[in-house]
């Protein structure tokens, strides 16, 4: 049996806020994090564009970061979380995707690598958002 405020959160937060409500401070902090995330990758993007080189940057690390932020974004969407709870992942994912595209361009990466990244991201997103993620569980 769950308490009336079980969907509110965990720990102390669960017991202090009414069912279905998020504390105002938490929501404000979430939006502040989203705003801060909008500037996270900008210096790196500008640095690459100004130098015209992606030397020293590892494509695989940016690809893995893209996969991680894709999972984080899909998780927030599937659970129906408020944008303030996962919005930073969306913003960073968009910036990281642009960063990855310019790294591919300057590093003269083979086209198959970019297409593979797009394909994996699209297929993973489709799978998660289709609702087939919980196969075998009773409704």
């Amino acid at each position: 049996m769950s308490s009336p405020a079980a969907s509110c959160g965990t720990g102390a937060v669960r017991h202090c806020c009414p069912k279905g409500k998020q504390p105002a401070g938490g929501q404000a902090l979430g939006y502040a994090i989203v705003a801060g995330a909008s500037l996270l990758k900008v210096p790196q993007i500008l640095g690459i564009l100004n130098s015209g080189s992606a030397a020293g940057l590892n494509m695989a690390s940016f690809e893995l970061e893209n996969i991680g932020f894709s999972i984080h974004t899909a998780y927030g969407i599937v659970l129906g979380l408020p944008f303030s709870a996962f919005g930073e992942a969306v913003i960073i994912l968009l910036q990281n995707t642009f960063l990855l595209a310019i790294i591919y361009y300057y590093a003269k990466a083979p086209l198959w690598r970019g297409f593979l990244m797009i394909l994996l991201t699209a297929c993973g997103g489709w799978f998660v958002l289709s609702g087939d993620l919980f196969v075998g569980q009773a409704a």
Side-chain angles (χ1 to χ4, degrees):
M1 180 167 25
S2 65
S3 69
S7 66
C8 189
T10 59
V13 174
R14 178 187 299 165
H15 302 292
C16 73
C17 59
K19 185 177 181 181
K21 299 290 183 184
Q22 182 180 17
Q27 190 170 15
L29 179 62
Y31 282 119
I33 291 170
V34 170
S38 66
L39 301 173
L40 183 69
K41 301 279 185 176
V42 172
Q44 195 169 22
I45 291 169
L46 293 176
I48 293 170
L49 292 174
N50 289 336
S51 70
S53 171
L57 298 175
N58 184 350
M59 280 185 264
S61 67
F62 288 94
E63 292 164 344
L64 289 173
E65 193 174 20
N66 250 24
I67 291 168
F69 283 115
S70 297
I71 292 168
H72 184 174
T73 299
Y75 180 81
I77 292 169
V78 167
L79 291 182
L81 299 176
F83 187 74
S84 62
F86 70 95
E88 80 282 354
V90 175
I91 303 294
I92 296 171
L93 177 62
L94 293 173
Q95 291 177 10
N96 203 58
T97 300
F98 180 72
L99 191 55
L100 196 53
I102 59 177
I103 291 171
Y104 284 156
Y105 175 76
Y106 286 121
K108 295 179 179 33
L111 284 178
W112 65 264
R113 192 164 183 161
F115 287 127
L116 181 62
M117 189 67 204
I118 291 168
L119 181 67
L120 287 173
T121 303
C123 288
W126 173 80
F127 176 72
V128 170
L129 297 176
S130 71
D132 292 336
L133 186 62
F134 305 107
V135 174
Q137 291 185 352

